[in-house]
Structures are given as C-alpha cells and as structure tokens.
Amino acid sequence: MRRSVDVVVIGSGVAGLSAALGLAATRDVVVLSAGSGSTPWAQGGIAAAYGADDPLDHAHDTEIAGAGFCDPRNVRALVEEGPQRLAELISLGARFDRDSDGSLSRTLEGGHDRPRVVHAGGDASGAEVHRALHDAAQLSGIETVSGRAIGLIKSASGQIAGVLVEEDSGVSQIDARAVVLATGGIGNAYLASTNPSSVRGDGLALALAAGASLVDMEFVQFHPTALFTGDVSGQMPLVTEAVRGEGAVLRDFQGRSIMADVHPRADLAPRDIVARAIEATMRRDGREHVWLDARSIPVETIRRRFPTVLESCRQIGVDMLREPIPVTPAEHFLCGGIRTDRNGATDVPGLYAIGEAAATGVHGANRLASNSLLEGLVFGRRVAAALTLDLPAAASYGKPSSLTVGEDREPERIRAILSEYAGIRRDGAGLQIATDELDTVGDGALATVARAVVAAAITREDSRGCHWRSDYPRTDDRWDSHLVIRLDDDGRPAVRRLLHAAAS
C-alpha cells in the first residue's frame, strides 16, 4: 500500500506527539508508532523555570551539568520557552501534583540549585505527560499507524521523500514532504538500560543511511540509581533522582556515604559524577550494587511522592520504608544523536530530528535531571513551527532510492560488547577490542549505532561529562571539539572534529 501526506512523525513519545499536535491544524500529519518509547517510564518530572531570575539559573545549571559543552543559544530556548510549553501541556489536561495552596509542587533533583521540577502522580510524571499528549492527539484527529520504520525514501535530488513501514500486514510506503525522527535513544544497544526494548537506535541508523550526520555519540548517560533486581539485563526499574532530592543517601556496604567527599552537592551532584562514584565503589568492593538509604524520609512523604518506586521495591522483596534500596547504574540517555539546527533540520533536505534522537546541544556532555521531557516539549513545537511556516516542496522523484536498515545477526553479542567496553569506565585498549569485534557482527541498526558510539569514544582522548576514559582521565582543552560522524563508502563511521564554538 502507498499513500501521501505532508509530514510523517516517526515516534509517539513526548517529542513526536508534541510535534504532531503543533502541525495538526495546518498539515496532514501521520504518527508512526512502534511503541511509546521511554516517555511513560520517566519518573522525575519536568524542569521548568519559574520567577524572573530562574531562566538564567536553570541555564547555568544545565551548562554546568553539561560540562561546558552545551549550545548556549539552544539552552536559552529550552529554559525560556519551557514554562510556556508546560502551561500548554496543562491546558491539554495534564494533571501535575500541587501544593496545598494550589500552586505546582516542585522538587529538587541532582544538579539543580533550587526545586524547579514539577511532577505528576508522585513519581509517574512521564506516564501522565504521555497520557495527556496521546489524548490530545486523538481529539485532534491525528492518525497513528502502528509499525516500524525500516527505511527512508530519497529522491533523485537528494531530498527525503517518504518512509518504508513494516506493519503486521506487510511493508507499506508513506510519501511525505518531510520526515521527523522522534525515535528516542539507544538503550537496547546495552545489556541493561532504563529504556524499554523498543528503544534501540533505529532512527539514528536510518539517519546515517540517508547521509545525515551524528554528533557527540560518546556521551551516553548512565542513571546512577536503577533498581538492582539480581538480573542486570533488559529494562531495569528506575529509582528516581527525586528520592535523593528528598534526602536519601547513597551508601556502601559498610554504611558509609559514597558522595559526601566527592562533590559539594554530595548525593545531588550531576549524574555523571554520581554514576562514576558508584561504579568506583562497586569495583573497589567487588559488589554488584550499592545502597540507597531513604529511611530518613518521612513515611507519608514516600507513600505520596514515590508510589512507583515503593511498588518496584516491594516486587523484589525490599521495603524501602525500613531498609535500604539496592541500586546500580544503567544506561539511561543519549546526550548526542542526529545533528540538527535549532528547528530540528538535519543536513539532509526533508529530514528532521527531535527529542533524544537529536543532538540539539542542550545537554552537552551530560544531561541535567528532568530536562529530557522539557526538551521534547520545546523542540517538538519548534520543528512544528518551522514546518508550518516552510514545508519543503514535494520531491521531484526521478529515480528514488530506498535506504533501509536490516536486522542484526547477533544483537546480544553487540549489547555485550558495548556494555563491556563503552560503559561508564572506558579505555583505549578496550575500545579497540570493541572496534574489532563490532566489525564482525553485520550491519543492522544496533551494530551501526554501537560502532558510532565506539568510534567517537576511541577518538576522544580526554574525559568530560559522561565520557570517562581511565587512560585520559582529565579534560583537555585540545579536545574542545564535537565529533561528527557520517558513514564512509564501506558503511563504517568516519569521524571528524568540529570546534565547539562552531557546533551549531
């Protein structure tokens, strides 16, 4: 089957649905969904500046967490447009937690200098955001097609002109004047992640196959506190950072505070610093996890604020009201991604990217807590505004080409390689082993994404943000460059350097 629309949005999380809602009034838009992605699993909330001085402070916290590697213009857009996007979300019916006076309840999370994170259902913020956007999309009459994008259509002139879709009934084609990739990150490229299994980097692999560039792929964030269930594989339950914001403390097996002497903000340091400290403690003690002690938090606060975490703990036999929680770092968020401009445009005409799939520069080398849902809202609406104002002309086909991404032959081996050699702690020798082994695993989406991560990580010979190399443990000004990746003629990642000041 073949059909034509103005815009195809691939992905039905916060970024994809925000873009579709922004386009619905003026464009014929279809949302392609292979699952809701990571949005419903987000616990913490949305970091939204409030008060006249807070946008500047929120920008400062974002750039500090990003290790000085953020795009300041896009950070300003994020923090200045964020409150309006939050207000729009509330107007769509999103129900956020409120204080007794009716004002939005705000909590403190790692890296923030003040409580600015709004939340819903205590610790079910992503689920509520997704519900509100999904319901609004249905009311707006936006069509959703269940299926997986397996290829992009490129016209003879080089413009993206549509999508190949694998549905239950077979492969279909949707022609479009613009395609927006909102496919999320790369969680399933690792053995253990907080992401669902559907999040595996398909959009990034499609973008590379189409000739687009990736950037900052070495910056893979590991959440410090995934719930240790005894099986460090697959999707791991999250223990939101807000638990530490309410006073929980990370401890080793001797009961000592892990973070007290590591950073001035202790347990509320940026995520990269906390994750490294936990990894070092686990390696030192020969343990698979550490402890998160929430027993100082009032029982009624835990029950009200963290019902999801409380239930996840209960399911593995842990009573967080009376005993510490076993936690371990797990892959959580890709800070890099498909290189875009401020409005989501890639370097391939007709192709756009938003959300975790995109590298907007707002996260730099490490994402600030609860900026991810915010990014999806802000940049989803920015790409919608751009395509409302200036939709690419219909492609003159000539002889189009189909740019497909195949299935991986050895997905578990790929995950094991990436987890072993491109996790929290890296070094050149291990990354070289990963490079050699990944050359033997075929050319599916996971393999393509894994090779991009390793190529960037082995090239960057310094440490910053969530890229830490034990053989180059310091930040080196000579590496104040972004690493841009495109595929060479053999389908392998070719890396070039782009000075940070010129990145956007």
Side-chain angles (χ1 to χ4, degrees):
M1 187 180 74
R2 184 172 177 177
R3 55 183 295 198
S4 296
V5 297
D6 291 331
V7 182
V8 173
V9 177
I10 306 177
S12 57
V14 59
L17 290 177
S18 294
L21 284 165
L23 288 163
T26 60
R27 303 298 184 200
D28 182 13
V29 58
V30 165
V31 174
L32 179 59
S33 175
S36 54
S38 297
T39 296
W41 301 96
Q43 291 182 355
I46 299 174
Y50 66 100
D53 63 331
D54 198 28
L56 285 176
D57 288 345
H58 187 186
H60 179 262
D61 289 348
T62 297
E63 291 171 358
I64 291 295
F69 223 50
C70 299
D71 179 331
R73 292 188 308 161
N74 283 0
V75 170
R76 283 199 302 273
L78 181 79
V79 301
E80 291 174 1
E81 296 172 24
Q84 182 181 351
R85 301 287 87 83
L86 175 63
E88 290 172 354
L89 184 61
I90 293 171
S91 74
L92 292 177
R95 298 184 290 267
F96 288 95
D97 299 334
R98 294 183 179 269
D99 292 332
S100 58
D101 62 359
S103 62
L104 288 169
S105 178
R106 299 175 186 267
T107 193
L108 181 66
E109 292 190 2
H112 292 271
D113 72 343
R114 68 179 72 181
R116 65 166 65 91
V117 178
V118 301
H119 45 84
D123 58 357
S125 303
E128 175 59 15
V129 168
H130 188 263
R131 181 206 63 77
L133 292 172
H134 179 266
D135 289 355
Q138 286 191 317
L139 287 172
S140 299
I142 294 171
E143 181 183 359
T144 299
V145 174
S146 295
R148 176 177 164 240
I150 59 171
L152 299 176
I153 306 299
K154 198 172 190 179
S155 72
S157 65
Q159 179 176 328
I160 296 301
V163 184
L164 293 176
V165 183
E166 184 178 65
E167 303 177 66
D168 290 340
S169 57
V171 176
S172 62
Q173 180 172 327
I174 306 177
D175 297 331
R177 293 166 65 180
V179 173
V180 180
L181 297 171
T183 50
I186 63 170
N188 203 233
Y190 284 81
L191 286 175
S193 172
T194 62
N195 300 171
S197 61
S198 60
V199 178
R200 58 185 207 173
D202 285 9
L204 280 73
L206 287 170
L208 278 175
S213 302
L214 307 185
V215 67
D216 294 343
M217 288 295 292
E218 66 271 38
F219 299 123
V220 180
Q221 184 179 82
F222 288 75
H223 198 287
T225 55
L227 180 65
F228 179 77
T229 63
D231 179 18
V232 187
S233 64
Q235 184 179 6
M236 298 184 68
L238 190 63
V239 178
T240 173
E241 189 155 347
V243 177
R244 282 177 278 136
E246 293 288 347
V249 175
L250 288 159
R251 300 189 185 279
D252 65 15
F253 273 70
Q254 287 71 47
R256 297 172 300 203
S257 170
I258 292 171
M259 296 302 301
D261 298 324
V262 173
H263 190 274
R265 289 182 174 175
D267 292 87
L268 291 176
R271 284 178 178 170
D272 60 320
I273 295 170
V274 180
R276 281 198 300 276
I278 292 174
E279 189 275 340
T281 300
M282 289 163 52
R283 184 163 36 85
R284 181 197 70 195
D285 295 346
R287 302 285 188 172
E288 292 185 284
H289 68 84
V290 296
W291 301 105
L292 181 63
D293 187 354
R295 290 174 292 182
S296 65
I297 305 173
V299 169
E300 60 274 15
T301 300
I302 290 179
R303 287 178 172 153
R304 173 175 52 84
R305 283 284 288 111
F306 307 117
T308 304
V309 175
L310 190 64
E311 175 61 18
S312 294
C313 289
R314 187 197 65 78
Q315 289 180 4
I316 65 166
V318 172
D319 182 356
M320 68 178 287
L321 301 175
R322 295 178 174 84
E323 56 189 323
I325 306 165
V327 293
T328 188
E331 192 282 338
H332 184 61
F333 191 88
L334 177 65
C335 298
I338 304 164
R339 189 176 175 224
T340 69
D341 68 9
R342 300 184 73 194
N343 297 315
T346 73
D347 41 17
V348 175
L351 184 64
Y352 299 78
I354 50 176
E356 190 176 351
T360 59
V362 297
H363 306 306
N366 175 65
R367 176 170 69 79
L368 180 66
S370 288
N371 267 358
S372 56
L373 293 176
L374 182 68
E375 179 194 24
L377 293 170
V378 169
F379 287 89
R381 284 307 177 107
R382 287 185 75 87
V383 76
L387 290 174
T388 297
L389 183 66
D390 186 20
L391 186 68
S396 54
Y397 268 85
K399 185 178 180 181
S401 56
S402 299
L403 306 160
T404 59
V405 176
E407 289 292 331
D408 288 282
R409 289 199 318 253
E410 302 179 79
E412 285 306 304
R413 184 176 168 218
I414 294 167
R415 295 179 183 114
I417 293 168
L418 210 57
S419 299
E420 175 69 21
Y421 300 114
I424 294 174
R425 180 185 176 89
R426 307 164 176 180
D427 61 59
L431 290 166
Q432 186 58 58
I433 293 172
T435 301
D436 295 341
E437 292 195 9
L438 288 171
D439 270 341
T440 69
V441 297
D443 294 315
L446 282 180
T448 299
V449 167
R451 280 194 284 262
V453 171
V454 170
I458 199 171
T459 301
R460 177 174 293 285
E461 294 180 339
D462 83 339
S463 293
R464 65 181 71 210
C466 46
H467 169 72
W468 193 82
R469 285 188 53 167
S470 59
D471 50 349
Y472 293 99
R474 302 184 187 282
T475 300
D476 187 336
D477 289 345
R478 292 175 298 178
W479 284 95
D480 195 16
S481 301
H482 296 266
L483 300 181
V484 180
I485 293 177
R486 300 183 79 167
L487 295 185
D488 63 19
D489 292 340
D490 296 322
R492 294 297 185 263
V495 183
R496 68 182 177 90
R497 291 171 65 163
L498 183 69
L499 286 176
H500 174 51
S504 58

